[in-house]
Amino acid sequence: MARKKSDRNSKKISKPTKNAGETVGFQNIISNERIDFILGLALFAISIVMFVAMVSYLRTSAADQSILESMRSGEWLNSNKEFANSCGSLGAILSYYLISANFGLPSFLIPVFFVLVSLKLMRVYRKINLWKWFLCLSVTMIWSSVTFAKFLAPVFGDEVWNPGGGVGALSVQFLENLVGAPGLTAILILTAIIFLTYLTSETITFVRKCLNPVGVIRNKVKFTITNPNDQTSADQQTLSDEDLYGSKHDETHEEEEKNTNETEKQETAQPAEESKDPKPVVIDLDQLEKESKAKEAAATAAEGSAATTSPEPAEQPHSFLEQQRERRLAHNLQSATDLGGMEVSVAAGEEKSSGNTVSGDIDLSTPINPREPFTRYHFPTLDLLKSYPDDDAPVIDEQEQIANKNRIIEVLGNFGVQIKTIKATIGPTITLYEIQPAEGVRISRIKNLEDDIALSLAALGIRIIAPIPGKGTIGIEVPNAKPHIVSMKSILDSKKFQETKMELPVALGKTITNEVFMFDLAKVPHLLVAGATGQGKSVGLNAIITSLLYKKHPNELKFVLIDPKKVEFSIYTKIAPHFMAVVDPDDEPIITDVTKVVRTLNSLCALMDHRYDMLKMAGARNIKEYNRKFVNHQLDLTKGHEYMPYIVVVIDEFGDLIMTAGKEIELPIARIAQLARAVGIHMVIATQRPTTSIITGNIKANFPGRIAFKVSAGIDSKTILDRTGAQQLIGRGDMLYLNGNEPVRVQCAFVDTPEVEAINNYIAAQPGPVEPLILPEPVDPNGNGGSGNGNMDARSLDPFFEEAAHAIVLSQQGSTSMIQRRFSIGYNRAGRLMDQMEEAGIVGPAQGSKPREVLIQDENQLNQLIAQIRG
């Protein structure tokens, strides 16, 4: 034993043998990076020249063929330029020997291989297996040469060269003399299948399906007919595949699999079901009841019959799924009083994203980056938000669902309403019971029993949808006994929100089916929010603002927050330089004074008119087309064009503004709602008094998007949604969203004040603008501008006022764009400067797109005017 071990050790210690390259010393030369790079670069250039020469030969072969076939000594020097090839005589000779004499068109694979070798030498791609590429390309070239010579030669009959080359033509002639044309075709097909099998094992499956198309069609029919939610469909598909293609493993391997099959099933069953389909999991509550009763009966029977012999077990169906299908078939034939089972569907949650941040979906590869100069701005992270238990999907309370089912059936049966089936879909706060009435039952009879069903269920309030749009069923929405909180993190962390392509994505919450509910504010385009006090309006507004902050850059979005209560939006003051737009930078960024609200709304109207002038000059129909032209250098920046951010106006208590200001508030809001959609100005107004005096017909006509939280009376619901239903909501974020179609019931995402504070602190710490966006000065309806009486407040003047005034007087050109370029300021601030100079009497009123008239002719007169203003 000692000798054997010593022999093994001596074998392991033996020195490796050197190859010929290492012995001679070539290995050190080839391993030199510089030499490899030079050789690779030279080979790459040779490959390109070869490719160009071969392409040129395809069109110059007829002119060079006679010279190439009978070339005399010295003629290859091409002294008289006899060769028509683009790469001269060497290119023509090389192409002739590769294409005409040897392999034909497949010879183009030779320079391809040389390119791969050059990339390997230059270490562009280090993982290229040259031997494998050489083998595959060689087999492909030879096979293609024979195939082209056989099948493409008649097509290229007018050419002087054979598409398969000389080698292909001789091979075809030789093989056809031996096995004939059918044998040659069989050899080519067999060779191709063997080669493709070597490349990928998918070839085996493809050939098997081609040899048995009937089985493939039968499988497709089975897959189409079976229920996608039923596990047996997958079982049938697997079995039919095994029957069709046979076993893939030998018997010994099958025995090994049997030993580990039981343990692997329990480990892989749950992930497989989750990854297969995100559809609801169906549970039969009657089956659970019967199984529990059967277990109890079996336990008592086992105690009483311990001494007796056990009877022969009854014959049972093959699987639980087969039992379920048989019961469903029998269930459809039973009456409502003997209703068999109820399907309870727990809707699967949205697929979560993998990252911790939500970035915008804007294209940054354009010539102008709209996020400059704040390209280092980081979007808020998801860890700033809270998580709550049962965020992904609510848990089924079996006893509650069974009790509600029995009570619904009992109440309907007491009033003579027979139903066929009943199904429950559990959401975060609401469970939707879908019932299918029997033939001859009127829908109005079920709808009139709303209060009786609510009394029987002892629920806060139920809502009947008769019928459910797109389905032949009637829906009964019943609140859950234990509602679950829908966190804002679960909404923003969904793949649906992070991969959306919406311009202004607003994620509100989750529907009854536990799906994330989103809409594009840019398409709505204005939103009306109403509901009683304490029902979730402020939380809903915070959810709208939060979802936009997580998706948009400060250069892409600005807010105008109007808060008559003075406490709801004050938390957003920290992000005023980043995301706010104001008329006067010295005022509070959150507008609370009614007089300033009117001034701000009129300023937005002036901005809207200016943006429409810019769109007209740019030939764009909306802000999206305008910004696309701007970032692609299709607009003349000297004409005042600049990137237009979206502006979202949020008014928390609209009713208070209407009561204090009346028409002064309603008219600019109606004008903005009618016209501002195309220029990216959108409004979200909320009120707790949804009366016709607050929400007038003019407001409703221009606000197609409606959100209704719980209200006290049906008349208020009709004022908001033009239909009843909001009075039956349960509050605490329960809402109905309407935008043209049927209202959708949504549980609003909950975002708490500490979460909003954390988001604002994070944004405030990011690089961004140092001051809010300055809105243009509103047009004075009294026409006092340009009086030049010097009664101006010097403290309200812009810091650039004197310099801009001197520049205007010296150039005698009252152009806003000139001020914008001269002082590197935005168009809004330049327009404000021009308005101040008009009020001071330095320039005249605006004349459309023409420059303003300069009323001051020299600097002395200007200095006197400035001194008068200061005094």
Side-chain angles (χ1 to χ4, degrees):
M1 294 296 292
R3 290 180 180 177
K4 289 183 179 180
K5 290 184 179 179
S6 61
D7 293 339
R8 292 175 183 173
N9 294 332
S10 63
K11 290 180 181 179
K12 292 181 180 178
I13 299 173
S14 60
K15 296 182 179 179
T17 58
K18 294 184 178 179
N19 55 27
E22 292 178 345
T23 304
V24 177
F26 291 137
Q27 186 69 25
N28 294 329
I29 299 176
I30 301 301
S31 62
N32 191 318
E33 184 177 0
R34 294 182 181 178
I35 296 177
D36 288 350
F37 183 83
I38 294 173
L39 291 176
L41 191 62
L43 188 58
F44 185 84
I46 292 172
S47 304
I48 298 300
V49 173
M50 285 180 59
F51 187 84
V52 173
M54 294 171 70
V55 172
S56 178
Y57 178 78
L58 297 179
R59 61 181 180 81
T60 62
S61 58
D64 296 339
Q65 190 74 8
S66 59
I67 304 175
L68 293 170
E69 289 180 351
S70 58
M71 187 183 306
R72 290 171 291 184
S73 61
E75 198 171 10
W76 64 275
L77 296 175
N78 198 19
S79 302
N80 299 324
K81 299 188 179 300
E82 298 90 353
F83 293 91
N85 195 289
S86 299
C87 295
S89 58
L90 292 180
I93 294 171
L94 179 64
S95 303
Y96 170 77
Y97 280 104
L98 290 179
I99 297 178
S100 182
N102 286 289
F103 300 104
L105 294 178
S107 300
F108 281 90
L109 296 177
I110 296 176
V112 171
F113 178 72
F114 286 168
V115 169
L116 295 176
V117 175
S118 66
L119 295 177
K120 177 78 171 180
L121 288 174
M122 290 189 291
R123 301 182 184 180
V124 178
Y125 297 102
R126 296 175 178 267
K127 296 183 180 180
I128 297 177
N129 191 341
L130 293 179
W131 283 111
K132 186 175 181 179
W133 277 99
F134 175 78
L135 176 62
C136 294
L137 292 178
S138 299
V139 174
T140 304
M141 184 174 64
I142 296 172
W143 183 87
S144 301
S145 177
V146 178
T147 304
F148 288 0
K150 170 62 180 173
F151 299 103
L152 296 184
V155 180
F156 293 88
D158 297 332
E159 301 291 340
V160 296
W161 44 268
N162 192 296
V167 174
L170 292 176
S171 300
V172 169
Q173 184 179 2
F174 175 77
L175 292 175
E176 283 189 343
N177 292 337
L178 290 179
V179 296
L184 174 60
T185 305
I187 291 174
L188 292 175
I189 296 175
L190 180 62
T191 307
I193 293 175
I194 294 173
F195 178 67
L196 293 175
T197 305
Y198 166 76
L199 293 180
T200 174
S201 59
E202 297 283 337
T203 310
I204 301 175
T205 305
F206 176 78
V207 173
R208 286 173 175 170
K209 290 182 179 180
C210 292
L211 296 177
N212 191 357
V214 178
V216 176
I217 296 173
R218 186 183 298 116
N219 277 345
K220 291 182 179 179
V221 172
K222 286 182 179 180
F223 183 78
T224 304
I225 294 176
T226 54
N227 187 357
N229 290 333
D230 199 346
Q231 184 66 26
T232 53
S233 61
D235 297 338
Q236 291 176 0
Q237 183 71 16
T238 306
L239 290 174
S240 59
D241 285 344
E242 292 180 356
D243 295 339
L244 177 62
Y245 303 135
S247 178
K248 296 183 179 179
H249 308 287
D250 53 7
E251 295 179 358
T252 59
H253 189 64
E254 289 177 355
E255 291 177 2
E256 293 176 359
E257 286 184 343
K258 288 179 181 178
N259 296 330
T260 60
N261 192 26
E262 296 297 328
T263 58
E264 289 180 353
K265 277 184 180 178
Q266 301 193 359
E267 293 177 359
T268 60
Q270 186 67 21
E273 291 178 0
E274 291 178 358
S275 60
K276 186 176 293 184
D277 198 295
K279 293 186 177 180
V281 179
V282 178
I283 300 176
D284 196 322
L285 295 182
D286 283 349
Q287 175 66 20
L288 295 177
E289 288 182 73
K290 291 179 180 179
E291 286 182 355
S292 61
K293 292 179 180 179
K295 288 180 181 178
E296 294 176 358
T300 55
E303 293 176 357
S305 59
T308 59
T309 58
S310 59
E312 210 173 76
E315 187 175 345
Q316 296 181 353
H318 298 289
S319 65
F320 171 76
L321 295 170
E322 292 180 3
Q323 297 176 11
Q324 193 175 13
R325 283 201 304 272
E326 291 176 4
R327 281 193 305 277
R328 288 177 186 169
L329 183 61
H331 164 72
N332 291 333
L333 301 177
Q334 292 177 351
S335 62
T337 55
D338 298 326
L339 197 62
M342 178 178 67
E343 296 178 3
V344 180
S345 302
V346 182
E350 287 286 338
E351 186 177 356
K352 289 189 176 181
S353 62
S354 57
N356 189 35
T357 58
V358 181
S359 60
D361 54 351
I362 192 169
D363 185 12
L364 300 179
S365 61
T366 52
I368 298 179
N369 186 354
R371 295 180 179 174
E372 290 180 353
F374 313 113
T375 55
R376 294 187 178 181
Y377 174 86
H378 295 287
F379 290 84
T381 57
L382 294 174
D383 54 9
L384 301 173
L385 302 171
K386 293 181 183 178
S387 297
Y388 295 90
D390 299 327
D391 242 354
D392 296 332
V395 180
I396 295 180
D397 188 348
E398 299 175 2
Q399 300 300 327
E400 178 186 358
Q401 302 305 323
I402 294 173
N404 288 344
K405 178 202 71 170
N406 294 333
R407 288 171 184 167
I408 291 174
I409 296 173
E410 181 181 0
V411 171
L412 295 178
N414 292 338
F415 290 90
V417 177
Q418 304 296 326
I419 61 175
K420 289 183 178 180
T421 59
I422 183 170
K423 177 184 176 182
T425 303
I426 302 177
T429 57
I430 300 296
T431 298
L432 174 65
Y433 294 90
E434 294 182 41
I435 62 174
Q436 184 178 1
E439 287 79 7
V441 176
R442 292 187 177 184
I443 296 177
S444 59
R445 292 183 61 188
I446 300 178
K447 204 165 185 179
N448 293 333
L449 297 176
E450 186 173 346
D451 296 333
D452 299 287
I453 297 175
L455 178 64
S456 175
L457 296 176
L460 295 176
I462 68 170
R463 178 169 169 262
I464 294 181
I465 309 173
I468 297 178
K471 296 183 179 180
T473 57
I474 297 173
I476 302 176
E477 295 177 350
V478 180
N480 295 336
K482 297 180 180 179
H484 300 280
I485 297 176
V486 177
S487 67
M488 196 68 193
K489 183 176 182 179
S490 65
I491 303 298
L492 302 185
D493 195 22
S494 63
K495 196 173 182 181
K496 181 177 181 181
F497 179 79
Q498 297 204 5
E499 294 182 357
T500 181
K501 300 299 181 183
M502 298 178 181
E503 292 295 321
L504 294 175
V506 174
L508 278 182
K510 290 186 178 181
T511 62
I512 293 178
T513 58
N514 210 34
E515 297 175 354
V516 173
F517 183 79
M518 294 174 54
F519 65 90
D520 191 357
L521 185 59
K523 293 183 178 179
V524 170
H526 308 289
L527 191 63
L528 173 63
V529 182
T533 304
Q535 302 303 322
K537 292 191 309 302
S538 298
V539 175
L541 295 179
N542 287 331
I544 293 173
I545 296 174
T546 301
S547 60
L548 293 175
L549 290 177
Y550 265 85
K551 201 67 176 176
K552 306 305 288 185
H553 190 271
N555 289 354
E556 302 166 12
L557 174 67
K558 299 295 178 183
F559 287 100
V560 175
L561 301 182
I562 300 174
D563 183 17
K565 296 180 183 177
K566 302 181 181 181
V567 294
E568 293 294 340
F569 291 152
S570 59
I571 195 172
Y572 295 101
T573 306
K574 294 181 180 179
I575 62 171
H578 289 74
F579 282 99
M580 296 299 169
V582 296
V583 179
D584 191 350
D586 297 330
D587 291 338
E588 290 290 333
I590 310 301
I591 306 166
T592 57
D593 190 2
V594 176
T595 58
K596 294 180 180 179
V597 172
V598 177
R599 186 164 175 256
T600 302
L601 293 175
N602 290 327
S603 177
L604 288 171
C605 292
L607 177 63
M608 177 184 68
D609 296 335
H610 166 68
R611 286 191 170 188
Y612 268 113
D613 292 337
M614 293 294 101
L615 261 65
K616 180 181 178 182
M617 292 173 58
R621 298 181 59 187
N622 51 51
I623 186 174
K624 189 175 181 180
E625 294 181 7
Y626 178 90
N627 287 337
R628 184 172 64 248
K629 288 186 176 183
F630 178 84
V631 298
N632 287 285
H633 275 310
Q634 297 178 4
L635 300 179
D636 186 4
L637 303 185
T638 61
K639 295 182 179 179
H641 292 291
E642 60 181 355
Y643 189 85
M644 292 185 184
Y646 285 93
I647 296 179
V648 177
V649 184
V650 183
I651 304 176
D652 183 40
E653 187 46 56
F654 178 69
D656 184 72
L657 296 178
I658 289 293
M659 291 180 65
T660 55
K663 293 294 182 181
E664 291 182 71
I665 292 289
E666 184 179 356
L667 291 178
I669 286 179
R671 188 164 183 264
I672 292 172
Q674 289 172 353
L675 301 175
R677 172 181 182 176
V679 294
I681 302 177
H682 305 277
M683 301 197 70
V684 179
I685 62 176
T687 180
Q688 63 181 1
R689 289 192 294 272
T691 60
T692 54
S693 61
I694 303 298
I695 305 176
T696 61
N698 198 14
I699 295 296
K700 290 177 64 176
N702 295 292
F703 282 76
R706 319 273 180 82
I707 292 179
F709 290 89
K710 180 177 174 58
V711 294
S712 57
I715 188 65
D716 295 335
S717 177
K718 287 186 177 180
T719 304
I720 307 168
L721 304 175
D722 295 328
R723 68 196 72 193
T724 59
Q727 78 279 4
Q728 298 164 333
L729 301 176
I730 61 174
R732 298 177 60 87
D734 192 15
M735 70 170 82
L736 290 175
Y737 173 81
L738 176 67
N739 189 17
N741 300 322
E742 290 294 322
V744 180
R745 194 165 187 175
V746 181
Q747 177 61 40
C748 182
F750 179 71
V751 51
D752 203 2
T753 302
E755 298 175 73
V756 179
E757 289 179 348
I759 296 169
N760 292 336
N761 293 333
Y762 184 92
I763 294 176
Q766 298 299 318
V770 296
E771 63 178 2
L773 175 68
I774 307 300
L775 297 175
E777 197 73 20
V779 179
D780 189 3
N782 298 324
N784 294 327
S787 61
N789 53 13
N791 295 326
M792 295 181 62
D793 186 3
R795 293 174 298 178
S796 64
L797 295 178
D798 192 276
F800 288 142
F801 177 79
E802 293 186 23
E803 298 181 37
H806 281 89
I808 290 293
V809 172
L810 288 176
S811 63
Q812 288 295 308
Q813 182 182 4
S815 173
T816 306
S817 59
M818 186 270 288
I819 297 177
Q820 182 183 1
R821 295 192 306 272
R822 179 73 61 87
F823 298 100
S824 299
I825 59 178
Y827 187 87
N828 293 333
R829 188 174 181 183
R832 191 162 177 259
L833 274 168
M834 191 62 69
D835 293 337
Q836 290 178 356
M837 285 187 283
E838 179 185 355
E839 186 177 356
I842 300 174
V843 296
Q847 300 178 1
S849 60
K850 297 180 181 180
R852 296 173 183 246
E853 180 185 0
V854 181
L855 304 179
I856 304 295
Q857 301 301 324
D858 53 21
E859 285 190 291
N860 293 329
Q861 187 179 357
L862 176 63
N863 292 332
Q864 293 177 4
L865 179 60
I866 294 176
Q868 183 182 359
I869 294 174
R870 286 180 176 177

